[in-house]
Amino acid sequence: MLIGDLKKKLIEYLENKLGDEARTGGIAIEEPRNRDFGDLSTNAAMVLAPVMKKSPMDIAQIIVDEAISGWEEVEDISIVKPGFINFKLRIGYIVEALKEIVKDRESYGENNSGRGVKIQLEYVSSNPTGDLHIG
C-alpha cells in the first residue's frame, strides 16, 4: 500500500495541475535498482515531457517544488538525469505502515478490485539473469 498510496497522491497532483493531459499512463513509482538513489523513484517528469513541452529536468523540479517536497512521508528528494525523481521515505512513515500491517494481519491490502472478473493464469519460466516481476 505504501507505493500505491504515494502513486495515487502524485497522480492526483498531476491531474489537478494538468487535467486530462496527466492521464498519459506510464508513470511509475517504484524501487530504484540502485538503492543508493533512495527508497523510491518516479519517471513522471520524463513521461510528461512531451505533454508539457519542457525538459524532464525542469518538469522534475516543478513536481518536487509543488508536490513531493510537501509530502510528510518523504525525508529527502533528489533529481537525477535524465529526469528521475528519487526520494527517501521518513522512518516514522515506514514504522506506522508496519504497525498497520501487523494490526490488520491477513486482511492487510485486501480489496474488491477485480472481484468477479475472469483471468487466465499461465505458467512462465523465469529468466535466471533478470529480476522476476509481474508485468
Side-chain angles (χ1 to χ4, degrees):
M1 296 303 222
L2 295 173
I3 296 172
D5 291 345
L6 294 176
K7 183 174 182 179
K8 184 177 176 182
K9 203 172 190 178
L10 178 62
I11 297 297
E12 285 174 2
Y13 157 76
L14 294 172
E15 286 177 350
N16 286 336
K17 182 165 182 67
L18 301 172
D20 289 339
E21 292 178 347
R23 296 187 188 133
T24 60
I27 295 175
I29 293 182
E30 55 196 11
E31 292 181 42
R33 290 180 189 214
N34 183 343
R35 296 294 291 172
D36 293 338
F37 291 135
D39 296 318
L40 297 172
S41 182
T42 183
N43 65 346
M46 293 173 291
V47 171
L48 293 172
V51 174
M52 295 179 71
K53 298 184 180 16
K54 293 183 180 181
S55 80
M57 294 296 284
D58 291 342
I59 295 169
Q61 192 62 58
I62 292 168
I63 292 171
V64 166
D65 291 345
E66 294 183 6
I68 298 174
S69 64
W71 292 358
E72 63 185 33
E73 301 92 346
V74 175
E75 178 178 275
D76 187 41
I77 307 166
S78 65
I79 301 171
V80 295
K81 287 186 178 183
F84 285 104
I85 303 170
N86 301 317
F87 42 99
K88 184 171 173 59
L89 297 175
R90 191 175 49 77
I91 295 297
Y93 175 65
I94 296 170
V95 168
E96 290 303 313
L98 290 172
K99 286 179 183 177
E100 184 179 329
I101 291 169
V102 169
K103 183 185 86 175
D104 292 346
R105 297 197 184 251
E106 289 84 19
S107 65
Y108 179 79
E110 194 173 275
N111 65 54
N112 291 324
S113 69
R115 184 157 306 221
V117 175
K118 291 183 179 184
I119 63 166
Q120 179 175 332
L121 186 62
E122 296 183 18
Y123 170 79
V124 178
S125 177
S126 64
N127 177 353
T129 61
D131 294 337
L132 184 63
H133 65 88
I134 298 173

